[in-house]
Amino acid sequence: MFVNQRPGDFRVLNGDDATTRAYDRIGSGTTVWFSSTHTVDRGAYISGDRIILNGEPLMLLSEIPLPGAHNVENTMAAAAIARLVGATHEQIRAAVMTFPGVEHRIEFVRELNGVRYYNDSKATNVDATLKAIAAFPGSLWIILGGKDKGSDYSPLRSALQGKAHAALLIGATAAKIQSQLDGLNVLQCGTLETAIHEAHSRACSGDIVLLAPACASFDQFESYEHRGREFKRMVANLGAAE
């Protein structure tokens, strides 16, 4: 795609990634950058507590409704693209602040007794789950498990150390995940419903219950969408009979 670009075309690249930085030397298009670590002449970057777009303040980081550093990067990339096609700073800021997010991607479900529930059923691999974990400061009850993709789950151990009260394990991969989370508090729950009720019974105000399975869904569900919808249905029913 970049090879075929001509003068007058644009590409928006992550200035913090060595692979994408190399694309700047391909083709005849003009590069617009986004960066979390340094100033860029044209594009978006973080300065202190805000995003700067084309040299002018766009918005405070705290005004981005979606959690996680990756969503800050997504915001900067989208803002740079929107500015290229004529959107104003005011229009971009308003769009970001009113964007509800995408279903099954760190989707806020509800708050009950001070406990917040998030659905990230789309986290079907370890890397996606690591990003979900990084989106929260701590106090996690994380639901992991499903159908294995031959993954190494050990990177989750250090990511969860000090951030998670427990990992609640479900599905066909539960035993493998437990064997690779040595040193963490682990609860074998079997099913998603059991994991939700265990988290509900144990979590305190300020805690977060996060479905970010790091696995495919096909052992117990038709798809990650089905898994996410069931999570939301079960969470919505919590407390109904209490």
Side-chain angles (χ1 to χ4, degrees):
M1 182 171 62
F2 297 146
V3 167
N4 291 322
Q5 284 192 314
R6 301 176 180 178
D9 293 333
F10 296 91
R11 53 188 168 228
V12 176
L13 302 178
N14 184 351
D16 300 333
D17 184 274
T19 299
T20 56
R21 284 199 306 270
Y23 295 151
D24 180 47
R25 300 188 293 272
I26 298 174
S28 301
T30 299
T31 299
V32 176
W33 299 100
F34 66 93
S35 173
S36 299
T37 63
H38 61 270
T39 301
V40 299
D41 292 331
R42 183 170 190 172
Y45 65 94
I46 296 174
S47 176
D49 62 351
R50 67 189 65 228
I51 293 174
I52 306 298
L53 177 62
N54 289 356
E56 297 184 7
L58 174 66
M59 63 190 307
L60 295 171
L61 297 177
S62 60
E63 293 176 319
I64 300 173
L66 304 181
H70 65 293
N71 277 320
V72 174
E73 293 182 336
N74 290 340
T75 296
M76 290 191 290
I81 293 168
R83 191 71 190 92
L84 284 171
V85 297
T88 66
H89 278 50
E90 292 76 16
Q91 290 170 329
I92 295 169
R93 178 174 177 270
V96 172
M97 292 180 66
T98 56
F99 179 61
V102 179
E103 189 178 18
H104 311 303
R105 292 166 174 83
I106 316 186
E107 175 191 10
F108 174 68
V109 178
R110 73 178 294 195
E111 182 173 330
L112 177 63
N113 300 327
V115 178
R116 294 168 67 84
Y117 292 79
Y118 285 87
N119 164 34
D120 196 21
S121 185
K122 184 63 173 69
T124 62
N125 58 66
V126 171
D127 183 64
T129 297
L130 289 171
K131 286 186 169 55
I133 294 168
F136 299 98
S139 299
L140 289 174
W141 299 85
I142 186 168
I143 302 173
L144 301 170
K147 182 177 174 59
D148 191 18
K149 294 181 175 182
S151 300
D152 174 12
Y153 300 98
S154 59
L156 298 173
R157 184 174 61 245
S158 58
L160 291 169
Q161 197 78 46
K163 293 189 77 169
H165 295 297
L168 302 98
L169 305 186
I170 65 173
T173 319
K176 178 181 176 180
I177 295 175
Q178 180 170 7
S179 72
Q180 297 183 355
L181 295 185
D182 184 49
L184 291 180
N185 186 25
V186 169
L187 302 174
Q188 287 286 355
C189 298
T191 67
L192 179 59
E193 184 172 22
T194 299
I196 291 170
H197 283 284
E198 283 286 348
H200 172 58
S201 67
R202 296 167 183 265
C204 300
S205 180
D207 288 352
I208 292 164
V209 177
L210 171 65
L211 172 67
C215 295
S217 59
F218 303 121
D219 58 335
Q220 296 182 350
F221 302 94
E222 297 172 1
S223 63
Y224 77 81
E225 295 99 334
H226 180 212
R227 179 172 60 190
R229 288 194 299 269
E230 285 298 290
F231 176 78
K232 292 192 289 183
R233 179 186 65 79
M234 295 173 191
V235 168
N237 290 333
L238 287 175
E242 297 176 6

